[in-house]
Amino acid sequence: MTSVSQDSHDNLLNINFLKESQLKRLCGCLDKANSKGWRKLGETVNTDRRFKVSLDDIEMCSLKVLEVEGSPSRSLLRLMGDRGCTLGDLAEFLRMMGHTEALQCLKPGIEILIQPQSGSVIAGHSIRLSCYAAGTSTVQYQWFKAKEEVPGGSSPDLVLSPVQLQDAGFYICRVNCGLASVQFSQWAQVDVLDVMPSYGMMSLPSEGRLRVVIQPKAQSLLMGDGLYLECGAVGRPLPQYQWYRNGVPLKNANKRKFNILYSMLEHQGRYRCEISCGTEKTWSSEVDVLVGPKSSFQFSGAMECSEDDFFVIGQSNSLEKPYATDKVALLIGNMSYQNHPQLKAPMVDVYDLTNLLRQLNFKVVSLLDLTESEMRNAVEEFLSLLHKGVYGLLYYAGHGYENFGNSFMVPVDAPNPYRSGNCLCVQSILKLMQEKETGLNVFLLDMCRKRNFHDKDMPNVMLKVTANIVFGYATCQDAEAFELSSSGFTNGVFIKFLKGRLLEDEKITVLLDRVAEDMGQFDPTKGKQALEIRSSLSERRSLTDPILPGDCLDVSQAHSLLWAKAHELPESMTLNFECGVKIKMGFAAEFSNVLVIYTSIVKKPEEMSYCQAHLINLSDLDPKMMNKETPEETGSYLLSGSLPQHCLYTRLSSLQKLKEKLVFTVCLQAEFTSLEEQVQWTMEVDIGKPLIAKLDLHRPTRRNSCQLTCNMPHSPCPSPIPSPGAERLPPHQIPCLHPQSCNSHLHVYEPLYGAAGCFGNVHTHSDYPYLYENAPYSPYAPLPSVPIETTDDVEDMQNVLMDSLHFFNQP
């Protein structure tokens, strides 16, 4: 058998099958008006009887110059190809002409397969630009920022980590294949957003997901003042912007920042920005811009006024829309119960709600799996952030119950059965919020409201008669709340519909009414779960209201510092070992109590054939969650798209339990070409108390905690003793002990003591494991606090339903 080389095979290819990149370069050479141009090629081809080119053909090709972007060469080559001309034939004609430049165009050269993609990223995080090319020989890369070479940018991937503000700009990659073949990639723009820690501490979306991280701010101006509005989003490709005033798009207002040097009365109105990223679109929050005439603020020389008087004249009388002096939210999701069935949806719900509330300028503390004392202390810290005019929002997802009109949240360490002494009373928290003179109190309770027959205590919570209180119960009184179980990421039914409405600029009760209507159209839970709204709202207050500082500026700043303290990440660091190895260590947060540590070796001696660094001596952490090659292996699915690659990852959850500074050891193992045995070095690292650990939520509950608000058994401090009497109850008096009838179409199961989980021999969760990136996840596996990236498409969840979607009760 005779072998045929690749070059021989290419020579037999018809020239009509030339790659567009090759054809474009070839036509660029032949269209030049010189002695070696396309006319000379036509004359040369005319000498070959196989591909005879007549004078009429030459004249037809010449007319192409009259067309926009017309090419006589392209027309001639197409004619030759139609008559059977191959690459080998064309190469021979070009040799006869002595056209070496055109001959080079016939070589495969370089083909850029992946072009770098523009994107927007938060300062301090990372972004990756990729350019991959194929060539006949080894391909070499060099990245440029504008006209300057990027130091070390000689690989297909350019990783900027951590991104600095000065990294913003335009990037391009030069690709070489040998000395003659050079191509440049497309330009890619990197937009770096300077965002306060309130946005940067939480997880970023995966590649391509759009998320608003900078919201415009309301303003009160005088005529002639400058108007400056700004919003910003992260996402890939680069987000596009369009500003609107009073619902009308503004001409030439398509940048992140919208500026008017001298404002006039006609510039007053309600502004917001439409942001698009590929096919995905979203809106910034809507803000009011007030412009007053200067004459209304001018005073005669005989008139005296204080700064407080000026503030009243300048703002209060003209501000129609209500405003908050600050916005604070506490989100708690309990899943991994010690004595009760596990839940799935709270981690997804807390994650989704966190991202949405941040877009509304809320300061958000999000916590997973808290014990009783931790919940009480978290609530106490939440209350310390409230003052006059603040919008306070508390969201809870987990087990719960309602007795005598009072709602109780169940911690993860609650005994079985539990009573009010083991749980937190929501109304007690509301009483203390009222004392802070808050502007709006919102409670979103995603839990069951069944009666707890083990709890015979009668609460006595004396609430003040105040306005602006809103309760959004995920289900009606004496009913269960449901969570969806499918092969993908999922929400509870309440958040599934709430997240589609939360950014709407509507009165909060109107917004919740619409959510209730949406839930009412959801066939799987129709007649089983309905949103209940209780409100004393006397004003048109919404979650999109602007933030305008009140009189207590010092108090507000002190509270902001306290909040920021609970969201401080350790600074990235470089570890230098005496053997010459340099290790970079970085940190990222998924939730306020979940930290990811990632390490990479950035330098090693040439004589060292192998080295790897591991974190050890983290006694409180499951060893299976340490030093993994991908974030997903540790359970960090949310951060997988934003963390640097080629690192080792370690995930720390339940940081609220950290009593001392977090100290661990980095163990470096190395092999040298001249040594047979492996050599080891260690270095101790102290990162202090990261994130929520600084607040010491593990401390014993104080005597004046949030539970000392009423004379009832669940105050003033946690009870470590299980509720008595349950063991004496006959089985028929224990509620929900056995599953009720199962609807075969909906697969809706009644709870075991009001909880989703296992009924006798029916293991509902384990039969339908979650799938993360095609990897199965079981709620009973040791991954208790894995946040989940979710889709915003309600239609997608409906489609999953048609493919045997299952529901489970979530009390």
Side-chain angles (χ1 to χ4, degrees):
M1 182 179 292
T2 304
S3 63
V4 181
S5 67
Q6 181 65 39
D7 290 340
S8 300
H9 181 270
D10 291 341
N11 286 336
L12 300 176
L13 188 69
N14 188 288
I15 62 173
N16 282 342
F17 293 98
L18 271 172
K19 293 181 179 179
E20 179 62 28
S21 58
Q22 290 178 273
L23 185 60
K24 189 177 293 185
R25 294 199 306 272
L26 181 59
C27 291
C29 294
L30 294 175
D31 280 337
K32 297 175 182 177
N34 55 32
S35 59
K36 296 181 180 180
W38 68 274
R39 285 185 181 273
K40 181 65 176 178
L41 175 61
E43 295 172 2
T44 305
V45 174
N46 197 35
T47 62
D48 193 314
R49 294 181 178 179
R50 296 174 300 165
F51 322 110
K52 191 172 181 64
V53 178
S54 65
L55 292 177
D56 290 340
D57 293 332
I58 295 293
E59 185 65 24
M60 182 194 68
C61 293
S62 66
L63 295 176
K64 291 295 180 181
V65 297
L66 302 177
E67 299 178 6
V68 178
E69 299 183 357
S71 169
S73 302
R74 187 180 288 261
S75 179
L76 176 60
L77 292 171
R78 184 180 300 111
L79 182 65
M80 293 166 57
D82 292 342
R83 296 176 181 178
C85 183
T86 66
L87 285 179
D89 298 325
L90 178 58
E92 184 60 31
F93 294 138
L94 295 174
R95 289 190 191 96
M96 293 170 62
M97 295 169 55
H99 205 321
T100 55
E101 183 183 359
L103 277 170
Q104 287 293 329
C105 296
L106 295 184
K107 295 182 178 180
I110 301 170
E111 182 180 5
I112 297 182
L113 305 174
I114 298 178
Q115 296 282 358
Q117 188 181 41
S118 300
S120 179
V121 65
I122 293 176
H125 291 266
S126 63
I127 191 171
R128 178 186 302 271
L129 301 177
S130 298
C131 175
Y132 284 84
T136 55
S137 58
T138 303
V139 178
Q140 297 176 323
Y141 302 86
Q142 178 58 54
W143 286 90
F144 291 80
K145 181 186 178 188
K147 297 181 179 180
E148 301 294 329
E149 287 190 6
V150 178
S154 56
S155 65
D157 293 315
L158 177 63
V159 179
L160 305 176
S161 179
V163 177
Q164 307 296 327
L165 292 178
Q166 57 267 28
D167 291 328
F170 291 86
Y171 292 80
I172 195 171
C173 185
R174 183 185 66 202
V175 186
N176 294 71
C177 183
L179 299 177
S181 276
V182 178
Q183 279 200 56
F184 284 88
S185 70
Q186 299 173 355
W187 285 98
Q189 182 182 357
V190 174
D191 189 14
V192 182
L193 305 181
D194 187 12
V195 180
M196 293 294 291
S198 58
Y199 296 104
M201 291 301 98
M202 298 303 291
S203 62
L204 290 177
S206 60
E207 290 292 316
R209 294 295 304 276
L210 179 65
R211 175 179 154 203
V212 182
V213 295
I214 299 177
Q215 295 283 5
K217 297 181 179 179
Q219 298 181 35
S220 295
L221 307 172
L222 300 179
M223 289 179 57
D225 289 346
L227 168 61
Y228 302 97
L229 295 173
E230 178 183 4
C231 69
V234 292
R236 301 186 79 166
L238 194 70
Q240 304 296 313
Y241 301 86
Q242 176 59 58
W243 287 91
Y244 286 72
R245 181 176 66 239
N246 299 328
V248 179
L250 298 172
K251 188 177 180 180
N252 299 324
N254 51 11
K255 305 293 184 184
R256 282 204 309 109
K257 299 179 180 180
F258 175 71
N259 300 333
I260 297 177
L261 292 180
Y262 304 101
S263 60
M264 306 297 291
L265 289 176
E266 60 265 27
H267 295 139
Q268 179 169 284
R270 307 190 75 181
Y271 288 77
R272 66 172 178 168
C273 187
E274 181 185 39
I275 308 168
S276 58
C277 182
T279 59
E280 191 174 3
K281 290 187 179 182
T282 189
W283 290 88
S284 72
S285 57
E286 193 170 38
V287 297
D288 289 307
V289 173
L290 306 174
V291 181
K294 282 195 171 184
S295 59
S296 63
F297 302 105
Q298 295 176 354
F299 305 93
S300 64
M303 183 177 183
E304 295 183 2
C305 65
S306 66
E307 291 182 0
D308 292 337
D309 295 332
F310 183 84
F311 180 83
V312 171
I313 296 173
Q315 291 187 358
S316 297
N317 294 338
S318 60
L319 189 62
E320 297 178 0
K321 179 172 178 149
Y323 66 92
T325 56
D326 203 354
K327 299 179 184 179
V328 182
L330 173 63
L331 278 56
I332 299 176
N334 285 344
M335 304 171 297
S336 305
Y337 282 87
Q338 299 172 13
N339 304 302
H340 305 279
Q342 310 289 291
L343 300 175
K344 296 178 182 178
M347 55 189 170
V348 194
D349 296 338
V350 168
Y351 168 67
D352 281 350
L353 198 56
T354 295
N355 287 338
L356 291 170
L357 289 173
R358 288 182 182 279
Q359 295 183 46
L360 297 172
N361 291 326
F362 272 83
K363 294 182 173 72
V364 183
V365 177
S366 57
L367 300 168
L368 302 179
D369 292 329
L370 301 186
T371 64
E372 180 188 346
S373 61
E374 292 166 355
M375 285 184 70
R376 297 186 191 279
N377 290 329
V379 169
E380 186 174 334
E381 297 293 343
F382 168 65
L383 292 170
S384 70
L385 298 176
L386 304 180
H387 55 87
K388 186 175 182 179
V390 173
Y391 285 11
L393 185 148
L394 175 65
Y395 170 77
Y396 170 75
H399 290 316
Y401 69 96
E402 183 172 311
N403 275 11
F404 309 106
N406 288 271
S407 303
F408 294 89
M409 304 178 292
V410 180
V412 294
D413 63 340
N416 190 2
Y418 44 71
R419 296 177 60 188
S420 57
N422 316 118
C423 304
L424 275 74
C425 178
V426 175
Q427 281 69 25
S428 296
I429 299 171
L430 172 59
K431 178 177 173 61
L432 287 176
M433 291 176 69
Q434 288 179 312
E435 295 174 1
K436 300 283 187 174
E437 299 183 51
T438 44
L440 178 66
N441 302 308
V442 178
F443 293 86
L444 303 176
L445 302 178
D446 201 353
M447 63 184 199
C448 288
R449 299 174 66 193
K450 298 287 286 185
R451 171 76 183 276
N452 182 0
F453 293 97
H454 299 286
D455 187 5
K456 303 296 184 182
D457 299 315
M458 178 73 73
N460 185 26
V461 183
M462 301 300 295
L463 294 173
K464 298 180 180 178
V465 179
T466 58
N468 299 333
I469 300 172
V470 178
F471 276 86
Y473 294 96
T475 190
C476 295
Q477 191 171 9
D478 203 31
E480 292 92 20
F482 290 83
E483 64 177 20
L484 311 178
S485 178
S486 71
S487 59
F489 305 139
T490 188
N491 290 106
V493 174
F494 178 35
I495 297 299
K496 166 184 168 62
F497 292 100
L498 177 65
K499 67 181 184 180
R501 297 281 189 182
L502 197 66
L503 298 181
E504 295 179 359
D505 184 26
E506 293 288 353
K507 185 178 178 181
I508 179 64
T509 49
V510 173
L511 184 148
L512 290 175
D513 276 334
R514 293 179 178 177
V515 174
E517 293 173 2
D518 294 340
M519 290 176 60
Q521 301 301 314
F522 193 48
D523 289 333
T525 52
K526 186 179 293 186
K528 294 180 171 60
Q529 178 175 351
L531 179 64
E532 182 176 332
I533 306 165
R534 296 184 182 180
S535 168
S536 64
L537 202 60
S538 60
E539 301 170 295
R540 190 193 179 281
R541 293 192 179 264
S542 66
L543 300 182
T544 59
D545 289 344
I547 297 176
L548 296 177
D551 299 332
C552 307
L553 291 179
D554 293 338
V555 175
S556 176
Q557 291 175 358
H559 292 172
S560 295
L561 290 174
L562 176 65
W563 177 85
K565 177 183 177 183
H567 289 79
E568 291 177 356
L569 277 172
E571 294 184 3
S572 59
M573 60 183 70
T574 301
L575 307 180
N576 295 296
F577 286 80
E578 58 184 14
C579 60
V581 172
K582 183 180 292 186
I583 296 175
K584 184 178 179 180
M585 179 177 294
F587 306 90
E590 285 183 316
F591 289 89
S592 301
N593 62 339
V594 179
L595 176 72
V596 174
I597 306 174
Y598 53 94
T599 59
S600 61
I601 296 173
V602 295
K603 180 183 177 182
K604 71 179 183 69
E606 294 182 0
E607 62 272 16
M608 190 177 287
S609 59
Y610 164 83
C611 67
Q612 193 170 36
H614 288 83
L615 273 59
I616 60 174
N617 297 334
L618 279 164
S619 57
D620 295 335
L621 185 67
D622 185 348
K624 296 179 182 179
M625 310 289 281
M626 298 171 59
N627 305 307
K628 299 299 182 180
E629 295 184 355
T630 64
E632 290 84 356
E633 291 181 76
T634 70
S636 299
Y637 298 94
L638 293 180
L639 295 182
S640 59
S642 58
L643 290 176
Q645 295 187 351
H646 311 299
C647 298
L648 290 181
Y649 308 90
T650 296
R651 184 174 185 268
L652 290 166
S653 59
S654 300
L655 291 179
Q656 73 277 3
K657 301 184 184 300
L658 190 63
K659 297 181 179 180
E660 306 293 337
K661 292 182 178 181
L662 183 57
V663 181
F664 53 86
T665 302
V666 178
C667 179
L668 175 65
Q669 298 174 329
E671 296 178 0
F672 292 85
T673 53
S674 58
L675 298 175
E676 294 183 359
E677 296 182 356
Q678 194 176 75
V679 186
Q680 180 174 298
W681 294 266
T682 59
M683 183 179 296
E684 191 174 81
V685 177
D686 182 351
I687 62 172
K689 289 187 174 183
L691 301 175
I692 202 71
K694 295 183 179 69
L695 299 184
D696 295 328
L697 299 186
H698 58 79
R699 66 182 183 268
T701 308
R702 299 173 184 172
R703 297 294 296 180
N704 61 343
S705 70
C706 66
Q707 277 62 48
L708 246 179
T709 59
C710 56
N711 184 20
M712 56 185 297
H714 68 273
S715 66
C717 58
S719 170
I721 304 174
S723 301
E727 66 279 1
R728 297 192 298 270
L729 286 174
H732 67 275
Q733 293 184 15
I734 300 178
C736 301
L737 188 59
H738 302 289
Q740 304 299 321
S741 60
C742 169
N743 186 310
S744 60
H745 172 67
L746 294 178
H747 294 275
V748 179
Y749 294 88
E750 295 300 321
L752 171 66
Y753 191 57
C758 169
F759 311 107
N761 295 325
V762 182
H763 298 275
T764 57
H765 283 110
S766 59
D767 291 339
Y768 302 94
Y770 277 77
L771 296 178
Y772 303 96
E773 305 291 339
N774 297 322
Y777 165 74
S778 169
Y780 297 104
L783 298 175
S785 304
V786 184
I788 300 174
E789 186 75 47
T790 61
T791 176
D792 290 332
D793 295 331
V794 174
E795 292 79 8
D796 183 58
M797 294 302 297
Q798 291 279 18
N799 292 334
V800 176
L801 169 67
M802 302 308 295
D803 292 326
S804 70
L805 180 66
H806 294 266
F807 296 81
F808 304 95
N809 292 343
Q810 173 200 308

